[in-house]
Amino acid sequence: MIYSFSTVLMTVLTSNLLIAVIVLCFRDRKIMLSIGYKLVLLFLGLTIVRFLFPVELPFTRNMNFFGLLAEFVVALRHPYISWKFIEISIVVLLGVVWIWGTVRRLRDLHDRKEKFRHFVTRYGINVSNQEPYRSMMKEICGGRKNPLWVVIVPYYGTPMQYGTFQPYIVLPKTLVLSREELYCVLRHETAHYYHRDALIKDIIAFLYAVYWWNPLCKILQNKADMLLEMRVDDRLICGDAEVREQYCSTLDEISAKLQGIPSIPGSVSAISMAAPLGEDLKYRQAMMRRKRKRSQSLLFCGMAGLVAALYIGSYCFILEPVSKSSSGIDGTIADEKFYAVLREDGSYDIYIEDFYSEGILKEGQFIENVEDLEFYMGISIRSE
């Protein structure tokens, strides 16, 4: 497995294209109702995997691209300032800004998680061993281990599941629930824990922290709650029409009690049962009642095929910018003879041995800097 500028570039390009497809699914209700939440979750999983593995595999083939775009990429990579082992190019400067923005957002993410955890542990009242919470949780978990604490916190907002390794079900003290509604809430939030939804939200938040410059990532993070809610909704109703209608009715009742009530900002790891409200709750209910028609199967297959092509293709082919000229070359290459100069960092500077410019034969014109000589087989190598 090989890491290089081209593999990183391909990873960034592919990941953001996959994010754009996921956002498109959310933005178009017809697409979302046709393909369902499971396929969108698969799209999200492939995006995360592609982001985590920016590598070139043994079967990967490099594809050269030329023209203005290649010239632009080569110009970005060209070291304009060199001092000892330090080389500064536009790519390096952009990388520094990117890393700085990522670190800043990761620090903000950590601070928000700690602030919310501190609030819950300081002001929350643990009622896990009190009735009816203890008996309800025992019934809900069945034979599985129950690591969840049920905590009542004096705040305005919705019930939520928070934490992956120290999980809580956080209930607002101000929200009065009937026994049936309480059981539904606890069952719903417990399902979030067993599906590791808090961890998925953390991963999405991390993805947004890395691609902070892409506005589509912000939309994806905002829609993540609804996607995870739809998965839990589907699991809880189990395809039973009667259970589904009772479940939807309970959601409506809880959401009605929350209308107009301000909510404290929660951690990005928290999963709220009845949030988002309004149109998004109707959207979830429409997903539970949906029946995919045969005519919509084409849309399902088309979206699946598009994402599969993007994902598999990004590992089969790596785009490699190749410059045939530079700003100092405005004529034709005489014999297209190149030579490489090995640099101290292991990369190579590629030069044209001779070329014509404005009718004058010139020598030693710099072309580009590359990580390896895959596209220059048999080229002569010279020392600096």
Side-chain angles (χ1 to χ4, degrees):
M1 295 190 297
I2 304 173
Y3 291 86
S4 66
F5 172 81
S6 297
T7 57
V8 173
L9 181 64
M10 196 68 181
T11 297
V12 172
L13 177 62
T14 306
S15 297
N16 283 277
L17 285 175
L18 290 173
I19 290 171
V21 172
I22 296 172
V23 171
L24 174 63
C25 293
F26 280 115
R27 303 289 285 184
D28 192 309
R29 181 165 180 164
K30 179 182 177 182
I31 294 177
M32 193 67 183
L33 293 174
S34 299
I35 67 177
Y37 76 92
K38 293 181 181 178
L39 192 61
V40 179
L41 272 174
L42 177 61
F43 294 170
L44 179 60
L46 292 176
T47 303
I48 294 170
V49 171
R50 191 62 185 91
F51 165 75
L52 293 176
F53 297 98
V55 297
E56 184 176 340
L57 301 175
F59 57 81
T60 303
R61 295 291 180 267
N62 291 71
M63 294 181 61
N64 295 352
F65 68 94
F66 306 89
L68 292 177
L69 181 58
E71 298 284 351
F72 177 71
V73 174
V74 170
L76 292 179
R77 297 180 62 191
H78 177 67
Y80 293 97
I81 301 176
S82 299
W83 181 71
K84 295 185 178 180
F85 297 103
I86 301 176
E87 295 183 342
I88 299 178
S89 63
I90 297 177
V91 166
V92 171
L93 295 177
L94 291 176
V96 170
V97 174
W98 189 354
I99 293 173
W100 175 80
T102 299
V103 171
R104 183 177 179 182
R105 289 186 178 273
L106 288 175
R107 185 183 63 183
D108 179 62
L109 175 63
H110 176 268
D111 291 344
R112 287 164 58 193
K113 286 169 64 69
E114 284 299 305
K115 184 177 180 180
F116 187 79
R117 184 189 64 81
H118 177 73
F119 176 81
V120 172
T121 54
R122 181 173 182 179
Y123 298 104
I125 302 173
N126 190 344
V127 295
S128 304
N129 294 321
Q130 299 179 22
E131 293 295 347
Y133 308 100
R134 184 170 63 86
S135 58
M136 284 185 178
M137 290 300 296
K138 184 178 180 180
E139 180 181 346
I140 290 169
C141 295
R144 294 177 292 186
K145 182 180 179 181
N146 175 24
L148 288 153
W149 287 359
V150 180
V151 179
I152 296 179
V153 179
Y155 78 99
Y156 293 95
T158 66
M160 61 182 66
Q161 190 269 306
Y162 166 71
T164 302
F165 304 106
Q166 294 181 331
Y168 304 89
I169 294 179
V170 183
L171 302 175
K173 187 177 181 179
T174 54
L175 182 61
V176 180
L177 300 173
S178 66
R179 188 180 183 86
E180 182 182 80
E181 291 169 345
L182 177 61
Y183 182 84
C184 182
V185 167
L186 294 178
R187 185 167 173 243
H188 184 100
E189 301 304 335
T190 301
H192 276 306
Y193 169 75
Y194 284 126
H195 289 115
R196 296 291 185 265
D197 287 343
L199 177 61
I200 294 175
K201 284 200 67 177
D202 280 337
I203 295 174
I204 295 174
F206 177 77
L207 197 65
Y208 175 50
V210 173
Y211 293 134
W212 53 268
W213 40 267
N214 185 349
L216 295 179
C217 286
K218 180 63 175 178
I219 299 175
L220 175 61
Q221 187 181 37
N222 291 339
K223 294 296 184 179
D225 268 346
M226 186 169 63
L227 180 60
L228 299 176
E229 293 296 340
M230 286 189 290
R231 178 170 68 164
V232 170
D233 293 340
D234 192 51
R235 293 295 178 89
L236 293 182
I237 63 176
C238 300
D240 189 310
E242 184 178 348
V243 173
R244 179 190 65 208
E245 293 307 318
Q246 183 179 1
Y247 180 75
C248 290
S249 176
T250 303
L251 282 180
D252 287 334
E253 290 172 4
I254 294 175
S255 110
K257 293 180 180 181
L258 295 170
Q259 290 293 340
I261 298 178
S263 176
I264 63 167
S267 166
V268 292
S269 299
I271 314 287
S272 302
M273 175 183 180
L277 302 172
E279 290 300 320
D280 286 340
L281 185 55
K282 295 178 181 178
Y283 198 81
R284 287 167 55 189
Q285 294 177 347
M287 287 295 295
M288 284 186 269
R289 296 185 173 99
R290 84 189 191 285
K291 292 181 180 179
R292 191 165 67 238
K293 299 178 182 178
R294 182 174 299 178
S295 61
Q296 295 174 333
S297 297
L298 291 176
L299 183 58
F300 180 93
C301 295
M303 295 297 294
L306 173 63
V307 170
L310 285 173
Y311 183 77
I312 298 174
S314 69
Y315 278 117
C316 291
F317 304 100
I318 298 292
L319 297 177
E320 186 76 31
V322 177
S323 173
K324 290 295 185 181
S325 62
S326 66
S327 58
I329 303 176
D330 54 10
T332 59
I333 301 174
D335 296 318
E336 291 192 340
K337 295 180 179 179
F338 300 88
Y339 67 89
V341 175
L342 178 62
R343 303 183 63 85
E344 294 181 354
D345 61 0
S347 64
Y348 298 88
D349 284 341
I350 306 299
Y351 291 83
I352 292 182
E353 189 169 318
D354 48 32
F355 64 96
Y356 287 104
S357 178
E358 297 179 354
I360 301 174
L361 182 64
K362 298 184 179 180
E363 297 183 356
Q365 177 65 44
F366 173 80
I367 297 299
E368 63 176 328
N369 178 268
V370 296
E371 302 291 336
D372 55 60
L373 298 178
E374 180 178 356
F375 302 108
Y376 297 94
M377 301 299 294
I379 191 174
S380 62
I381 302 177
R382 304 179 186 180
S383 57
E384 287 187 290

